Amino acid sequence: MNIQFENRYYSDELMISEYVHKILCKRIYIMGAVVAPIALIMTGITLIRQDYILTAVFGVCLFILIFTILITPPMTIRQMQEYDRKLNNGKKNEAIIQFGEKISISQGTFFLTIEYSQILKTYELRNSFVLTFTKNSGIIIDPNGFTIGDFSDFKEFISRKCNVL
């Protein structure tokens, strides 16, 4: 396989946290921003009308919503880290992502190959670049971790190969 780009890095909590908050939990934040004000307003209206049963219902809904928004990201980060530890037998292995005819990802004993056509969307974040291939799965790339090629050429390459950005 002719490798055009290679990215190597050891994942850190900052990269994982950014991925979780800005990609995986994005819909939760958007739904919360829409539903929480409605639940708050309805709680206030039913309280003013002294309809305490509906006040309790809307209040509980608001509590559950806020609790979900606050607890989901840390739980997701912890689950990702736990999965990584189990996958690599407790060792911190280097992630190696190679871009040639296909995208190859290896980390310890884990190996995955993905076609460029499977990439749905790319995200350029502050500390990483992410290629998503399902709603909940992505390839995290360290912009400073290129051992073959560089990040600016890579962005052009991936845009051309995947027809997304």
Side-chain angles (χ1 to χ4, degrees), residues 37-148:
I38 294 169
L40 185 62
I41 290 168
M42 291 307 294
T43 301
I45 290 172
T46 55
L47 188 60
I48 290 169
R49 291 186 175 180
Q50 297 181 351
D51 188 349
Y52 299 118
I53 293 173
L54 279 179
T55 301
V57 169
F58 286 119
V60 168
C61 289
L62 182 61
F63 174 78
I64 291 170
L65 179 66
I66 291 172
F67 181 76
T68 301
I69 290 169
L70 293 175
I71 201 72
T72 300
M75 283 180 55
T76 304
I77 291 168
R78 189 176 9 202
Q79 286 175 343
M80 286 180 70
Q81 290 171 332
E82 188 176 308
Y83 177 75
D84 191 42
R85 275 193 300 278
K86 285 181 181 177
L87 186 68
N88 295 305
N89 291 323
K91 299 175 188 167
K92 191 142 179 114
N93 291 318
E94 183 179 37
I96 303 167
I97 302 128
Q98 297 176 327
F99 299 86
E101 294 172 26
K102 297 177 182 179
I103 303 168
S104 300
I105 303 117
S106 65
Q107 186 174 13
T109 58
F110 174 79
F111 185 80
L112 178 67
T113 301
I114 295 175
E115 300 278 341
Y116 290 100
S117 61
Q118 291 177 267
I119 302 300
L120 302 174
K121 192 168 183 178
T122 63
Y123 296 89
E124 187 169 359
L125 306 175
R126 180 176 288 158
N127 300 296
S128 60
F129 189 83
V130 180
L131 307 171
T132 58
F133 55 93
T134 70
K135 277 185 184 179
N136 301 319
S137 299
I139 304 165
I140 301 173
I141 296 166
D142 182 356
N144 301 315
F146 282 93
T147 54
I148 298 175

